[in-house]
Amino acid sequence: MIPYGKQSIDQLDIDAVIDVLQSDWLTQGPKVPEFEQKLCSYTGADRAVAVNSATSALHIACLALGVGNGDIVWTSPNSFVASSNCALYCGASVDFVDIDIDTGNMSIEALTSKLVHAERQNQLPRVLIPVHFAGQSCDMQAINELSQQYGFKVIEDASHAIGGSFDGKKIGSCEYSDICVFSFHPVKIMTSAEGGAALTNNPQLADTMAKLRSHGITNKPEEFSEPSHGAWYYQQNVLGFNYRMTDLHAALGCQQLTKVDRFVQQRNKIAAHYDSLFQNSVIQPLLVTNTSRSAYHLYVVKVPLHSPEEHKKLIQNLRNAGIFAHVHYIPIYLQPFYKQLGFSAGYCPSAELYYHQAVTLPLFPDLSEEQVQHIADTLKSLVAKLSV
């Protein structure tokens, strides 16, 4: 079975983890701050806060921006549930902005229209979380301009997108956002096994997130509210969480980060090969705009299908042929939990139309040209049979 995603681990990665295992520190040692500094150097952001998952990063990012009861957070329905769950963790409500069906990213037109209506209803979001789907940045310049006009904060969910760029700048620079979140899950661009990070150019936000990831505790005397009891003393000033990254994970992350550009270059090469094989067919790759360089976490095509049953059959037939095709994503609001919150089918028509056409094909740096050819030929053959 050819998986849809797979980590690329070499001996240097293995040696980096072994070095930590043989050191004095396994958890809160020097590797985590080293990884954070390397993330800043790579992206151009001022500060990075490494955590145990992108979900944790989204949660503390929302908290750092003051999201709480009575607030509204907007995000894309075309994402994993963590992109919206983070708002609910904070006691806020969540809403969804429809997508551009050609890119899979949040539609600027839909966002603009929704903001106009929300302002009239006095229901503007406190925070917007655009999702850089499949590795391509949303139009962050347009989103930034809208944030200035309507007064909301912006968290980039770039879980798919480290190594990509927008308007010539690395995703993660926070040029147009308050906070940017990365994921280092094994199927992503690079991995720390499990892990994530929140990047920002705001030192206050960084300090707040760093405190929240570690129980809300500080050992800095200048932050104490009462005199120290001694050298061992620490204080819990806010309610935080155990979201820390270990040195083991950070060591792997440091080594993987040195290969991100090579990984992204290879992913783009594979995507271009796929594109060429689907020319002059009904199979449509997602559009990558000329302002973006996609990190290509995923390679998604749209296939004109007549029914959900055909969609299901196509995915299953690909898997039967040894190709682990997938679908990214079920619109979040169609999950049973979100239906209980009042959402229903038809809420974001473009996201739902996209969902019924989307097929995620295998994409990872070690995928061979022969495998790409086989996958494309198999898909075209199966689609032709469906059309008969």
Side-chain angles (χ1 to χ4, degrees):
M1 182 72 76
I2 304 172
Y4 85 85
K6 182 183 178 183
Q7 69 272 18
S8 296
I9 300 293
D10 63 20
Q11 192 60 47
L12 292 174
D13 297 314
I14 295 168
D15 291 344
V17 175
I18 291 173
D19 286 346
V20 173
L21 284 169
Q22 294 174 335
S23 74
D24 294 331
W25 298 93
L26 297 184
T27 55
Q28 295 170 270
K31 280 296 175 181
V32 172
E34 179 186 340
F35 183 41
E36 291 171 335
Q37 183 53 53
K38 287 182 174 179
L39 284 169
C40 290
S41 296
Y42 180 77
T43 61
D46 290 340
R47 296 282 296 275
V49 179
V51 289
N52 59 4
S53 71
T55 301
S56 299
L58 286 166
H59 185 194
I60 62 174
C62 283
L63 289 172
L65 290 172
V67 174
N69 291 326
D71 290 325
I72 307 170
V73 173
W74 290 2
T75 190
S76 170
N78 187 33
S79 184
F80 187 58
V81 294
S83 301
S84 57
N85 285 351
C86 57
L88 303 182
Y89 297 157
C90 301
S93 60
V94 68
D95 203 353
F96 300 94
V97 181
D98 209 351
I99 66 168
D100 177 339
I101 197 168
D102 292 326
T103 65
N105 276 337
M106 185 177 287
S107 164
I108 298 302
E109 291 75 18
L111 174 61
T112 302
S113 175
K114 194 175 181 77
L115 285 166
V116 169
H117 180 74
E119 186 175 43
R120 291 175 185 154
Q121 302 296 318
N122 196 28
Q123 292 288 307
L124 285 168
R126 185 181 186 95
V127 169
L128 179 76
I129 306 178
V131 178
H132 300 334
F133 178 70
Q136 179 179 196
S137 176
C138 296
D139 186 343
M140 291 307 302
Q141 185 172 6
I143 287 171
N144 175 257
E145 289 171 0
L146 289 169
S147 75
Q148 300 301 314
Q149 181 178 350
Y150 289 96
F152 56 83
K153 301 295 185 180
V154 178
I155 301 170
E156 295 176 76
D157 186 343
S159 295
H160 294 187
I162 191 169
S165 61
F166 174 75
D167 201 20
K169 294 186 175 65
K170 288 286 190 186
I171 294 171
S173 68
C174 300
E175 176 79 12
Y176 297 116
S177 65
D178 297 279
I179 299 170
C180 181
V181 167
F182 289 136
S183 170
F184 308 124
H185 184 276
V187 297
K188 299 299 198 310
I189 308 301
M190 56 163 280
T191 187
S192 61
E194 285 280 9
L199 283 70
T200 184
N201 294 327
N202 184 315
Q204 184 175 351
L205 290 176
D207 289 344
T208 299
M209 291 189 291
K211 189 178 293 185
L212 287 168
R213 75 173 166 188
S214 190
H215 304 281
I217 283 173
T218 181
N219 56 10
K220 298 177 180 179
E222 64 271 21
E223 296 179 357
F224 292 165
S225 60
E226 57 186 58
S228 171
H229 300 177
W232 66 89
Y233 189 67
Y234 60 87
Q235 281 189 357
Q236 181 189 341
N237 296 325
V238 297
L239 182 62
F241 310 88
N242 186 359
Y243 286 169
R244 294 188 300 258
M245 176 179 278
T246 72
D247 265 34
L248 286 167
H249 294 85
L252 178 56
C254 285
Q255 188 58 42
Q256 286 266 299
L257 189 57
T258 66
K259 294 173 279 195
V260 165
D261 287 341
R262 174 160 59 86
F263 288 161
V264 170
Q265 182 178 8
Q266 183 64 10
R267 286 172 175 273
N268 272 267
K269 181 180 177 182
I270 293 168
H273 189 189
Y274 270 132
D275 287 351
S276 69
L277 295 172
F278 293 131
Q279 281 184 349
N280 303 317
S281 80
V282 297
I283 299 164
Q284 296 182 324
L286 288 185
L287 174 69
V288 176
T289 67
N290 56 16
T291 57
S292 292
R293 175 172 167 80
S294 178
Y296 270 113
H297 161 49
L298 302 172
Y299 186 83
V300 179
V301 295
K302 294 182 297 174
V303 180
L305 297 164
H306 299 102
S307 68
E309 191 57 37
E310 274 196 346
H311 195 201
K312 180 179 178 180
K313 183 178 179 181
L314 178 60
I315 299 297
Q316 190 57 56
N317 285 342
L318 284 165
R319 293 188 180 189
N320 290 344
I323 300 163
F324 196 88
H326 214 335
V327 177
H328 296 84
Y329 287 97
I330 305 165
I332 295 172
Y333 61 83
L334 292 181
Q335 295 290 346
F337 176 83
Y338 280 86
K339 287 183 178 180
Q340 294 174 16
L341 300 181
F343 292 101
S344 59
Y347 192 68
C348 292
S350 292
E352 292 179 35
L353 178 59
Y354 160 85
Y355 167 58
H356 291 301
Q357 298 178 343
V359 178
T360 301
L361 299 177
L363 176 60
F364 49 91
D366 297 328
L367 195 66
S368 70
E369 289 187 5
E370 292 75 17
Q371 286 175 314
V372 172
Q373 183 77 53
H374 167 64
I375 292 163
D377 288 345
T378 303
L379 177 59
K380 287 190 287 186
S381 175
L382 290 170
V383 170
K385 290 176 183 178
L386 286 173
S387 301
V388 173

